[in-house]
Amino acid sequence: MLTPPGLGGKYRIKGSRYPRMRRPRRRGRLIATTGLGVLTCAVLGWGTLQLVDIYSGADEPPADGAHARPADCASPAAAGPRARAGHASLPAPGTITVNVLNATSRTGLAKDTADALEKRGFRIGEVANAPAPLDGKVKGNGLVIGGPGTATASRLSVLAAQLDGARIRHDAHRDGKDLDLVLGKSFTKLTGKKAAEAALTKLSGPRSASSHEKAGTTC
């Protein structure tokens, strides 16, 4: 084969194939570029769908038109009758035996107070002067004393409602269910019957709002 003019012997072409005039294609790079483009499109498409779901589904009402119930809000039926009523259970005065003890120097005070409590339905136990450790040492209107336990605490609350400002004390060493009402230096008479009933109504009234209601969420 003849050598083209001007190439000289240095650039003599041998054989039956002509030299390539462009760079060979790199198939590996082409495949990688194509795959990267497809992956990028897929990611962008998925992100777009997520945004559409967020902004279009957040305010979408339920299919039945009712408001959705929060997952942690139990229905009244599931909560039981006591939770539905929402009231605390207090013992009746007829189930409470009271010892009325006079820690003042005024005579007849324990007897008059015991009679008034009996008219309100309480059962009366001992009526006497307060023991030496309490005699003349009870400040305020009086002191209500009972043993430990939740049941005793309920009885103490019912009795304390009859005496405005009465202090409550639990005696861990006390036996029995009887309660002591120790009349203090400032005592004159029991709280009015209507005021006592109002205090008991408040104690046995609806429970305080739940955390959801305080935060403005209703169930």
Side-chain angles (χ1 to χ4, degrees), residues 83 85 166 178:
D178 292 3

Side-chain angles (χ1 to χ4, degrees), residues 7-105:
L7 291 180
K10 183 177 180 179
Y11 300 97
R12 183 180 302 275
I13 297 174
K14 297 180 180 180
S16 59
R17 300 181 61 184
Y18 290 92
R20 295 180 181 272
M21 302 305 294
R22 61 180 179 181
R23 295 181 179 179
R25 295 180 179 178
R26 299 183 179 179
R27 293 184 178 180
R29 180 179 296 178
L30 179 61
I31 294 173
T33 303
T34 303
L36 181 61
V38 172
L39 180 61
T40 302
C41 292
V43 172
L44 291 176
W46 180 83
T48 302
L49 288 176
Q50 293 299 315
L51 291 176
V52 170
D53 288 341
I54 290 173
Y55 287 102
S56 64
D59 297 329
E60 183 179 355
D64 58 356
H67 293 288
R69 181 185 299 275
D72 55 344
C73 291
S75 64
R82 182 168 181 176
R84 288 199 301 271
H87 288 71
S89 178
L90 293 177
T95 63
I96 302 173
T97 301
V98 183
N99 301 317
V100 184
L101 307 177
N102 186 4
T104 73
S105 58

Side-chain angles (χ1 to χ4, degrees), residues 90-175:
L90 293 177
T95 63
I96 302 173
T97 301
V98 183
N99 301 317
V100 184
L101 307 177
N102 186 4
T104 73
S105 58
R106 288 168 283 170
T107 59
L109 198 59
K111 178 66 169 61
D112 293 342
T113 304
D115 291 342
L117 285 174
E118 191 173 21
K119 290 179 180 179
R120 297 186 183 186
F122 290 89
R123 303 170 68 177
I124 304 302
E126 181 183 2
V127 179
N129 292 325
L134 294 175
D135 191 18
K137 301 176 182 178
V138 178
K139 299 179 180 180
N141 284 338
L143 177 65
V144 179
I145 305 174
T150 304
T152 301
S154 298
R155 294 195 298 271
L156 286 171
S157 297
V158 173
L159 179 58
Q162 313 301 317
L163 183 60
D164 186 33
R167 291 176 293 127
I168 296 177
R169 177 187 297 176
H170 289 270
D171 185 357
H173 303 288
R174 188 183 184 90
D175 296 328

Side-chain angles (χ1 to χ4, degrees), residues 176-189:
K177 298 181 179 180
D178 292 3
L179 307 181
D180 288 349
L181 173 59
V182 186
L183 306 179
K185 294 180 179 180
S186 301
F187 177 81
T188 55
K189 61 180 180 179

